[in-house]
Amino acid sequence: MCGRFAITLPTDAMAQLFAAQPANDLPKVPNFNVCPTNPVHVVQAGDTGRQLVSMRWGFLPHWYKSESAGPLLINARAETIAEKPAFAKAARERRCLIPATGFYEWTKSEDGARLPWYIHRSDGAPIAFAAVWQNWGADDPVKTCAIVTTAANQGLSAVHHRMPLILEAEDWGKWLGEEGHGAARLMQPGPEGVLDYHRVDPAVNSNRAEGTELIEPFGEDDIPRGQLI
């Protein structure tokens, strides 16, 4: 899964990277602790080209009567996204990208402590999560989104059994629907050697934590042991 992430890329750099026109109401950056229900940067395709917009992280199906009417849908499993009523139409028609610098996962030590890990590209480049979006509400629609996840590749499986679907630049157009069909073929674990990870301060266990120190190495940096969570 992907339950927290960091974004440090300036807005103008994001717009340039994705060749997208930025909106005026984008979330502030940097944010080292992006949490569910927070507004996030999203790249979507449109008739006039790509747009960089703000959306609520937490997909709201159209039948929800309120934002808390059902489970908080921050992730959509690639294996079932085309079949789930909440996501099926979005998977066909409303795919998008969420920029990130890295993301967090947790293991559990033998004594039950939650141990956070920061996962990032080995080359230091920004990450593009595959995602889907949905307008929710009739009177004043709220744009909402969920990150697509796959089974973890071998390199990341020691930290977690799931991982966000990360797309390389050459696949962005296909995922966004700019290059015809074929997005389904992108929904598989990423290649080995692209991601690296290290332990970070347990302070990030709090959704109120902030600051660059959240992504800095902390404590022992061995291969994780104990229970995955």
Side-chain angles (χ1 to χ4, degrees), residues 143-191:
K143 288 184 177 290
T144 71
C145 60
I147 295 171
V148 179
T149 66
T150 70
N153 60 25
Q154 184 176 357
L156 196 57
S157 61
V159 177
H160 203 275
H161 63 284
R162 302 289 297 177
M163 66 180 292
L165 175 57
I166 296 173
L167 299 178
E168 299 296 330
E170 59 266 26
D171 295 324
W172 295 347
K174 180 73 70 177
W175 182 258
L176 291 172
E178 299 168 338
E179 301 174 6
H181 301 292
R185 293 193 293 271
L186 302 175
M187 290 193 283
Q188 54 187 334

Side-chain angles (χ1 to χ4, degrees), residues 1-224:
M1 64 177 295
C2 179
R4 302 266 196 91
F5 66 91
I7 176 66
T8 64
L9 203 63
T11 296
D12 56 351
M14 273 189 269
Q16 182 176 2
L17 177 65
F18 292 96
Q21 179 66 35
N24 294 323
D25 61 344
L26 293 170
K28 293 182 179 180
V29 285
N31 186 343
F32 296 91
N33 193 9
V34 182
C35 302
T37 74
N38 285 174
V40 297
H41 298 81
V42 174
V43 179
Q44 63 179 63
D47 294 337
T48 59
R50 295 178 185 175
Q51 303 291 320
L52 180 64
V53 301
S54 176
M55 294 189 186
R56 175 192 187 267
W57 183 21
F59 191 97
L60 296 174
H62 66 83
W63 60 82
Y64 276 24
K65 300 301 183 183
S66 70
E67 293 184 7
S68 58
L72 182 59
L73 304 177
I74 61 171
N75 293 156
R77 295 174 67 95
E79 298 88 342
T80 58
I81 191 171
E83 306 161 6
K84 293 290 186 181
F87 299 122
K89 190 171 183 180
R92 294 192 303 270
E93 302 176 2
R94 296 186 300 276
R95 298 185 299 272
C96 57
L97 301 168
I98 297 179
T101 306
F103 60 99
Y104 301 96
E105 291 294 358
W106 282 261
T107 58
K108 186 179 290 186
S109 68
E110 294 179 357
D111 62 1
R114 297 181 75 233
L115 307 177
W117 299 79
Y118 181 64
I119 303 160
H120 55 94
R121 288 187 62 109
S122 303
D123 59 8
I127 290 171
F129 296 142
V132 292
W133 67 275
Q134 162 87 29
N135 273 338
W136 176 80
D139 297 331
D140 187 16
V142 177
K143 288 184 177 290
T144 71
C145 60
I147 295 171
V148 179
T149 66
T150 70
N153 60 25
Q154 184 176 357
L156 196 57
S157 61
V159 177
H160 203 275
H161 63 284
R162 302 289 297 177
M163 66 180 292
L165 175 57
I166 296 173
L167 299 178
E168 299 296 330
E170 59 266 26
D171 295 324
W172 295 347
K174 180 73 70 177
W175 182 258
L176 291 172
E178 299 168 338
E179 301 174 6
H181 301 292
R185 293 193 293 271
L186 302 175
M187 290 193 283
Q188 54 187 334
E192 302 293 340
V194 173
L195 300 176
D196 200 359
Y197 56 83
H198 57 262
R199 277 279 310 280
V200 291
D201 194 322
V204 78
N205 292 353
S206 169
N207 59 12
R208 293 184 295 274
E210 56 184 31
T212 184
E213 63 273 10
L214 296 181
I215 66 172
E216 294 174 357
F218 175 88
E220 296 182 3
D221 201 19
D222 297 329
I223 296 297

